[in-house]
Amino acid sequence: MPRKIRVLIAKPGLDGHDRGAKVVARALRDAGMEVIYTGLRQSPEDIVEAAIQEDVDAIGLSCLSGAHMTLFPDVVKLLRKRRAGDIVVAGGGIIPEEDVPRLKRAGIKEVFGPGTPLRDIVAFFEKAGKGA
Amino acid sequence: MPSRKAPSRRSRDSVRQLVDDLLAGDKRAAAKLISLIEDDEPEAMEALARIHPHTGRAHIVGFTGPPGVGKSSLINRLVRTYRTQGKKVGVVAVDPTSPYTGGAVLGDRIRMADTGVDAGVFIRSMATRGHAGGLALATFDAVRVLDALGMDVVFVETVGAGQSEVEIATRAHTTVVVEMPMTGDAVQTMKAGILEIGDVYVVNKVDLGNEDVLIANLKFQLEPRDGWTPPVVRTAATEGRGIDDLAEVLETHRAFLDSSGVLQRREVARARLEILENVQRQLSQQVRGLSRLGTTFERLAREVVERRIDPHTAAQRLFARTTSRRRPA
Amino acid sequence: MADSEERKKLERELRRWETTSLKDALEAHPERRKEFLTTSSRPVRRLYTPLDFSADFVERLGKPGEFPFTRGIHPTMYRGRLWTMRLFAGYGSAEDTNARFKYLISHGETGLSVAFDMPTLYGYDTDEPEAKGEFGTCGVAVSSLEDMETLFGGIDVGSVSTSMTINGPASVLWAMYLAMAESRRVAWPKLRGTIQNDILKEYQAQKEWIFPPEPSMRLVVDTFEFGSKHVPQWNTISISGYHIREAGATAAQELAFTLANGLEYVRWGIDRGLRVDDFAQRLSFFFNAHNDLFEELAKYRAARRIWARELRDTFGAKNPRSWLLRFHTQTAGVSLTAQQPEVNIVRTTIQALAAVLGGTQSLHTNAYDEAYQVPNEKAARIALRTQQILAHESGVANTVDPLGGSYYLEALTDELEEDAYRYFDRIQDLGGVIPAIRKGFFQQEIANSAYRYQREIEDKERIIVGVNDFVVDEQSEVEPLRVSDASLRAQLERLGRIRRARDRAKWQRALDRLRKGCEGDDNTMPLILDAVRACATLGEICDVMREAFGVWEEPLLY
């Protein structure tokens, strides 16, 4: 049986708009992955701890409140501190294009803006799961 | 048997190193070992062999009961209570894999959000991955990993459907059956056999009222087994009520198991069961693994459909074929 | 169609048309799609005729300003007074937002609407750990009475109406507004405005809750009670469908869930011992204006009709003003695209048109850059101009309910009304709104609709211009709006100063009395007001309430 890809979908910070995160979680499940959805109001510590315990291949972060520039890099920093920097991190939500290069430099592998087709997101996590 | 899987991130660390780290309390090592075992990597057996001598300390408590009855919330509260007593707690929560897509959304962790960052807590979500019943094949091996990690108690939460209570009861030290009162006038029936399986019965969501009939029913029907009469505990998990009582009952049962010798008996029974299951699994793997088997298998299947042979005889022939291959030339 | 002779004649005509002209046309040129769906995936028929009117069509339509208000809540509607042009605004610090308020007023906005940042929405001060990274990014930070005073500096709160989008801690922000007015010697009976204060939809959709449902409902009814006595022109609640729709609901779900919530609030008010006619007039509503013009239009009209009937017949309200469903509308944020953002101006215009044709009392139009960020000045100005064009150039405000009598519209209004009642029954079966929330009913319905909508887009059954068709590969030229570090530092300094300078004993007493009041049965508003006057911050007040009421944990569904 081919190995299952495990993904953590998380909503860091206070933002409660979870429509996108839930839709992505379902889409990943429909693509055969095991998805752990953390729910709302997660701190970077919560997210990293969960990612380690669940031994996920990748993390998807969703934020629509504009706090992504602080919260997303914090997750990456903490992962590296815990020697789990091989876990791939992607982000989505309301993120101006201008912020994307900075986020990538901070270690976010990919940023999925509004309107990204689900199949692109699924393809990304499939690649991440294969250790790419 | 060579691995058909692409080299994964996970198998890169050596098993021995992982186990050493595990025994030193490293959570990442624990997580990776669980994945190794879940994915049935070639190193899984070696990992389990190295881990086994270090297990047997943790109290294993299984939770079963219908979906929606509040198992996750109950476990969340119990984790907190055990933590205030300075105990280390592991949780393995199982959710069903979709038979259509092979994927799963593992949603039990979310109800334990406030306990997840605590250093003395380890929560792992598992999908059933096609295994019938309420558990995953790897569930109790994952429990062993957490046992070796140093957890004092490990809670196992089942899917709550199918034969999960039977699986739990044969492997956990303490089986907790969780029910909740039904609303309305319909007579509340419980699953056949459920009354024989639990060590502790919890009636949750008593904040909704209506629980007296159910509790009276349970108390009336529950009979002593091996010298233990299963108690009935009232809880309202979302309000935190009844949790201390439940924790006390679990401790009492644990003490009873030790002092009465029942634990020893059950462990032996469990070991027998596991050995047999492993024999079955390994045999099955071998039978499937023989390369020329394909044709024999297909031919036999056709013959069964054509009524030239019955399935039991077909199995015998297959078995004979495979074992005969293993005799030295 | 009352006359059955007329009816039969029409039926024959229709059949004739179908078997001749239509048949020929379809053979020559089949339709573009097998099915045509609204934004809510509701099938739309080819043609609507008088046959689609219900038998009591005339009664169900009524006259504007009279029961059942299908055509509007005033006899003259926009001929008497235009809707309030009220743009949602807020970012950064109170000073930053105060400047934006003045800018919008100078360009013709006729009412204020405050957007708060995440920490404020959840009852945290800017200097609390939960607020890290979240200061001012999606609204203005208000942690103290001083912030509230700065926010409205140079604005006459006695003459302008202010809407505050705040839910979990609504009582606290309202108390700050009232205390501010008090310090300016503006009498409370003069104040006009709204607090959103609709906690039920938070559990269902927006997720900005703090406490569990029962204590939260108590806080809401406290505001009804307090408002009816002391601030009679203030709308103490804006029962909202906007967020339910944004979270993925269909138009029917938006309609049904909003009204079900509304009826629940009425029940709680009556249980408290208030007379329905004493508080119903100050219940206001807030709907979404999404893409499908006619479906939205039908939704507003069905809403008015249902509410009027329920208030008069189910709750026995005697005052006709209690039967009125007054609403604010916002164009659908979720429909905006990051791709080719200028095109959002077109979307917003059509959506605003629906709201105006639907008789909204107040309207917010989105800015074209909102798929990225909080609006910049130019984008906000265009959004305002959109409303002004509708009001002054398009002619749609010249008559009341211009599309009334449209065969399609009236049929759709009836359909939506029926759908709503079916949902009411289901909610009833689950034990009511709050039990249904606990069971995750609304959340699951919404998540299912959201998923279906997304799949339709993925499968190209639903076209989103610029996203899955008519795509252009171009760089965005939108200038992002940034919250300055200086604003954050100033806010933190201000908080520090407030905490040091206040009378500690007075502050402590006020918080202690608040705690006791929360644990008891007193109306919390006077106690919150005292705490605000004693310079307690938002976070401090909410912490007391968190201890007293507990914190809500949501059931997971996806």
Side-chain angles (χ1 to χ4, degrees):
Chain A
M1 178 156 58
R3 196 166 71 65
K4 298 283 184 182
I5 299 174
R6 284 169 69 94
V7 179
L8 187 78
I9 298 291
K11 286 206 59 70
L14 298 173
D15 172 39
H17 298 91
D18 55 4
R19 173 178 181 165
K22 287 183 179 179
V23 165
V24 169
R26 267 213 223 186
L28 295 179
R29 177 197 64 189
D30 286 354
M33 301 184 208
E34 288 175 358
V35 184
I36 295 117
Y37 173 52
T38 64
L40 304 172
R41 310 197 195 175
Q42 301 291 296
S43 67
E45 287 76 14
D46 292 329
I47 292 170
V48 169
E49 187 64 38
I52 287 175
Q53 290 179 14
E54 301 287 356
D55 195 28
V56 297
D57 297 280
I59 300 174
L61 301 171
S62 158
C63 181
L64 282 77
S65 66
H68 52 276
M69 282 313 302
T70 311
L71 297 172
F72 290 9
D74 277 356
V75 170
V76 175
K77 266 185 240 152
L78 206 50
L79 278 172
R80 289 179 181 161
K81 200 165 140 206
R82 303 275 308 263
R83 292 181 301 129
D86 55 331
I87 298 180
V88 174
V89 181
I94 303 285
I95 298 170
E97 250 177 69
E98 256 202 22
D99 290 349
V100 174
R102 260 174 75 195
L103 284 173
K104 287 192 167 171
R105 278 198 303 273
I108 311 298
K109 188 97 190 265
E110 195 57 78
V111 176
F112 298 113
T116 306
L118 285 178
R119 64 178 164 280
D120 290 358
I121 299 177
V122 169
F124 171 85
F125 283 106
E126 270 169 355
K127 239 175 101 194
K130 295 193 166 61
Chain B
M1 182 168 68
S3 166
R4 278 168 288 134
K5 306 169 192 58
S8 73
R9 195 168 57 76
R10 298 174 188 161
S11 357
R12 271 185 247 133
D13 312 273
S14 92
V15 174
R16 170 185 289 189
Q17 185 60 54
L18 280 176
V19 176
D20 285 345
D21 290 342
L22 170 74
L23 298 173
D26 181 355
K27 283 177 161 179
R28 186 118 216 256
K32 288 189 178 226
L33 281 165
I34 293 175
S35 299
L36 210 74
I37 294 163
E38 239 196 329
D39 294 337
D40 202 15
E41 300 276 356
E43 300 89 355
M45 271 185 69
E46 183 197 340
L48 285 166
R50 288 184 183 278
I51 289 171
H52 194 74
H54 304 277
T55 62
R57 230 186 99 252
H59 181 197
I60 304 172
V61 184
F63 288 79
T64 186
V69 82
K71 299 186 287 291
S72 293
S73 310
L74 211 56
I75 289 176
N76 182 18
R77 294 286 180 163
L78 278 171
V79 170
R80 287 191 228 173
T81 302
Y82 272 75
R83 288 299 298 140
T84 63
Q85 296 167 9
K87 303 223 172 94
K88 299 215 200 117
V89 187
V91 181
V92 179
V94 187
D95 272 316
T97 295
S98 159
Y100 307 109
T101 67
V105 180
L106 307 176
D108 298 308
R109 186 183 196 99
I110 199 179
R111 288 188 197 84
M112 307 184 203
D114 53 347
T115 44
V117 203
D118 182 341
V121 178
F122 190 111
I123 301 171
R124 178 71 175 226
S125 312
M126 296 185 95
T128 53
R129 295 193 183 177
H131 180 72
L135 297 174
L137 265 180
T139 300
F140 277 90
D141 287 330
V143 172
R144 288 200 170 94
V145 172
L146 297 183
D147 190 345
L149 180 64
M151 299 290 124
D152 296 302
V153 63
V154 180
F155 296 128
V156 179
E157 182 183 346
T158 69
V159 164
Q163 290 302 300
S164 41
E165 52 275 359
V166 175
E167 285 202 69
I168 274 276
T170 52
R171 291 167 209 271
H173 297 143
T174 305
T175 299
V176 180
V177 176
V178 187
E179 295 278 355
M180 74 184 208
M182 252 173 56
T183 47
D185 297 323
V187 172
Q188 185 159 6
T189 52
M190 282 173 289
K191 249 166 128 181
I194 201 90
L195 294 171
E196 281 122 37
I197 250 152
D199 298 303
V200 178
Y201 289 78
V202 174
V203 175
N204 191 31
K205 302 200 184 183
V206 297
D207 46 316
L208 297 178
N210 243 352
E211 75 274 16
D212 293 325
V213 174
L214 176 58
I215 292 179
N217 237 334
L218 281 168
K219 287 194 170 153
F220 182 66
Q221 295 186 65
L222 289 170
E223 306 209 324
R225 204 162 40 101
D226 290 334
W228 170 268
T229 307
V232 180
V233 184
R234 276 172 216 257
T235 60
T238 50
E239 295 180 4
R241 282 198 280 144
I243 307 301
D244 288 339
D245 293 339
L246 180 55
E248 220 184 285
V249 164
L250 294 178
E251 279 307 292
T252 308
H253 188 246
R254 185 205 183 133
F256 163 79
L257 287 173
D258 282 333
S259 66
S260 64
V262 172
L263 180 64
Q264 181 65 9
R265 279 207 306 279
R266 283 195 187 172
E267 290 277 86
V268 172
R270 177 177 156 186
R272 281 196 206 112
L273 189 65
E274 272 203 77
I275 293 171
L276 272 176
E277 279 175 0
N278 276 310
V279 165
Q280 261 181 337
R281 201 181 320 156
Q282 286 174 22
L283 206 60
S284 192
Q285 270 174 359
Q286 273 173 16
V287 164
R288 272 199 279 252
L290 292 173
S291 52
R292 284 235 306 237
L293 188 61
T295 8
T296 313
F297 198 27
E298 287 311 310
R299 179 174 52 77
L300 284 169
R302 274 200 309 276
E303 289 183 7
V304 165
V305 173
E306 289 162 8
R307 267 50 187 189
R308 296 206 269 139
I309 190 180
D310 74 276
H312 306 283
T313 312
Q316 254 180 356
R317 289 211 189 145
L318 200 61
F319 186 63
R321 271 309 281 278
T322 54
T323 48
S324 77
R325 283 173 188 289
R326 314 224 324 93
R327 261 186 243 125
Chain C
M1 287 246 76
D3 192 318
S4 97
E5 201 43 58
E6 272 291 310
R7 202 183 175 83
K8 285 210 194 78
K9 186 166 163 221
L10 259 161
E11 278 170 357
R12 276 198 305 272
E13 264 305 293
L14 201 55
R15 267 201 303 277
R16 185 200 52 73
W17 174 77
E18 278 169 5
T19 51
T20 57
S21 312
L22 175 63
K23 181 155 170 282
D24 293 341
L26 286 174
E27 269 163 21
H29 202 100
E31 289 185 330
R32 287 180 292 121
R33 318 163 58 95
K34 236 181 83 204
E35 236 189 354
F36 288 80
L37 304 174
T38 66
T39 306
S40 303
S41 309
R42 174 195 302 274
V44 179
R45 296 207 297 276
R46 176 178 302 111
L47 183 75
Y48 291 80
T49 70
L51 292 171
D52 296 302
F53 288 163
S54 45
D56 54 351
F57 166 69
V58 173
E59 272 147 47
R60 285 158 64 65
L61 206 48
K63 300 276 180 305
E66 280 180 4
F67 185 91
F69 306 101
T70 317
R71 307 199 73 181
I73 60 168
H74 297 302
T76 59
M77 285 306 292
Y78 304 133
R79 289 167 65 110
R81 202 172 69 180
L82 286 171
W83 64 90
T84 307
M85 300 185 188
R86 189 190 294 281
L87 290 194
F88 193 41
Y91 71 97
S93 67
E95 285 92 352
D96 297 329
T97 303
N98 178 264
R100 178 60 68 92
F101 283 169
K102 287 170 171 154
Y103 174 81
L104 291 170
I105 290 173
S106 74
H107 282 285
E109 139 165 298
T110 47
L112 292 175
S113 177
V114 189
F116 296 101
D117 71 358
M118 281 290 160
T120 308
L121 293 171
Y122 288 92
Y124 295 113
D125 294 330
T126 304
D127 58 357
E128 296 192 60
E130 289 85 353
K132 183 177 180 217
E134 312 245 29
F135 165 74
T137 55
C138 69
V140 64
V142 173
S143 306
S144 66
L145 176 56
E146 209 180 292
D147 288 337
M148 186 62 81
E149 282 165 356
T150 307
L151 185 60
F152 290 95
I155 293 174
D156 179 11
V157 298
S159 63
V160 77
S161 89
T162 301
S163 174
M164 293 192 282
T165 297
I166 187 83
N167 293 281
S171 309
V172 184
L173 275 296
W174 192 34
M176 287 181 178
Y177 192 89
L178 295 174
M180 169 200 51
E182 188 179 63
S183 75
R184 295 179 186 187
R185 304 196 193 295
V186 178
W188 288 350
K190 262 191 92 182
L191 294 176
R192 287 176 304 123
T194 305
I195 38 173
Q196 195 168 84
N197 199 24
D198 169 13
I199 197 65
L200 291 175
K201 66 101 168 47
E202 296 304 327
Y203 301 115
Q204 295 159 353
Q206 186 164 234
K207 317 289 171 103
E208 283 165 15
W209 65 75
I210 309 177
F211 326 108
E214 289 77 9
S216 302
M217 291 296 276
R218 176 257 181 106
L219 289 172
V220 170
V221 182
D222 282 353
T223 63
F224 291 174
E225 206 175 30
F226 190 84
S228 69
K229 285 200 201 100
H230 304 287
V231 201
Q233 293 196 81
W234 194 274
N235 301 311
T236 40
I237 192 169
S238 177
I239 304 159
S240 307
Y242 178 81
H243 320 81
I244 293 173
R245 191 65 180 276
E246 292 287 291
T250 61
Q253 287 165 343
E254 180 192 345
L255 175 66
F257 297 172
T258 308
L259 293 182
N261 291 346
L263 297 171
E264 188 68 15
Y265 288 116
V266 174
R267 258 174 236 120
W268 277 69
I270 290 173
D271 283 349
R272 173 71 69 92
L274 305 176
R275 282 192 3 232
V276 66
D277 284 312
D278 285 342
F279 69 95
Q281 294 172 46
R282 284 296 153 214
L283 304 177
S284 66
F285 286 81
F286 173 25
F287 286 111
N288 198 308
H290 216 299
N291 285 328
D292 197 300
L293 187 82
F294 281 92
E295 193 176 46
E296 296 306 289
L297 206 26
K299 179 185 74 184
Y300 307 130
R301 299 163 96 252
R304 279 194 293 266
R305 191 153 73 199
I306 295 172
W307 188 253
R309 181 186 307 120
E310 292 302 313
L311 267 283
R312 187 189 74 171
D313 299 343
T314 303
F315 288 102
K318 297 280 182 295
N319 187 337
R321 290 189 62 79
S322 300
W323 309 333
L324 298 180
L325 183 145
R326 298 169 302 117
F327 68 103
H328 169 79
T329 307
Q330 173 162 344
T331 58
V334 80
S335 70
L336 302 179
T337 60
Q339 296 76 3
Q340 302 175 57
E342 304 79 6
V343 176
N344 289 325
I345 297 172
V346 184
R347 292 189 175 97
T348 302
T349 306
I350 297 173
Q351 292 160 1
L353 178 61
V356 166
L357 289 170
T360 192
Q361 278 57 62
S362 161
L363 178 61
H364 162 95
T365 31
N366 290 328
Y368 66 79
D369 55 351
E370 289 200 60
Y372 291 69
Q373 62 182 20
V374 167
N376 67 43
E377 268 187 2
K378 175 163 169 218
R381 195 181 68 208
I382 292 177
L384 189 51
R385 296 284 177 255
T386 305
Q387 294 195 42
Q388 289 157 345
I389 297 278
L390 285 173
H392 302 291
E393 294 187 16
S394 75
V396 298
N398 295 346
T399 184
V400 178
D401 190 33
L403 283 171
S406 143
Y407 310 138
Y408 178 30
L409 178 59
E410 299 303 346
L412 205 46
T413 306
D414 287 354
E415 256 181 64
L416 276 164
E417 189 182 339
E418 277 162 34
D419 286 350
Y421 275 99
R422 270 198 286 272
Y423 270 114
F424 292 166
D425 287 342
R426 281 175 73 182
I427 294 166
Q428 186 89 297
D429 290 342
L430 288 165
V433 171
I434 291 175
I437 285 172
R438 288 208 156 91
K439 290 175 181 148
F441 167 71
F442 302 98
Q443 301 88 314
Q444 189 68 74
E445 287 281 304
I446 291 168
N448 290 345
S449 298
Y451 196 61
R452 185 186 63 230
Y453 187 83
Q454 188 61 33
R455 285 253 77 99
E456 287 169 358
I457 293 173
E458 297 287 314
D459 299 337
K460 279 192 140 189
E461 267 169 46
R462 177 176 299 286
I463 301 296
I464 308 289
V465 173
V467 172
N468 65 357
D469 205 346
F470 312 109
V471 174
V472 182
D473 190 12
E474 71 185 2
Q475 281 298 95
S476 130
E477 282 161 29
V478 176
E479 262 297 308
L481 190 65
R482 302 285 179 199
V483 178
S484 73
D485 285 335
S487 285
L488 174 59
R489 275 196 306 272
Q491 177 74 352
L492 295 172
E493 272 160 29
R494 182 163 35 218
L495 270 169
R497 186 183 27 84
I498 289 170
R499 292 190 215 277
R500 283 189 301 271
R502 64 192 168 193
D503 176 343
R504 222 195 141 70
K506 183 173 171 205
W507 169 83
Q508 189 64 62
R509 272 197 309 272
L511 287 180
D512 289 339
R513 278 202 293 267
L514 173 63
R515 182 177 298 110
K516 277 193 70 191
C518 288
E519 287 163 1
D521 279 331
D522 303 334
N523 190 309
T524 47
M525 279 311 297
L527 300 168
I528 296 173
L529 270 160
D530 279 341
V532 163
R533 290 178 188 121
C535 300
T537 62
L538 171 67
E540 288 162 357
I541 295 173
C542 286
D543 280 343
V544 167
M545 296 200 287
R546 272 185 267 259
E547 265 177 55
F549 298 138
V551 170
W552 171 250
E553 283 168 24
E554 68 161 348
L556 166 72
L557 291 130
Y558 29 80

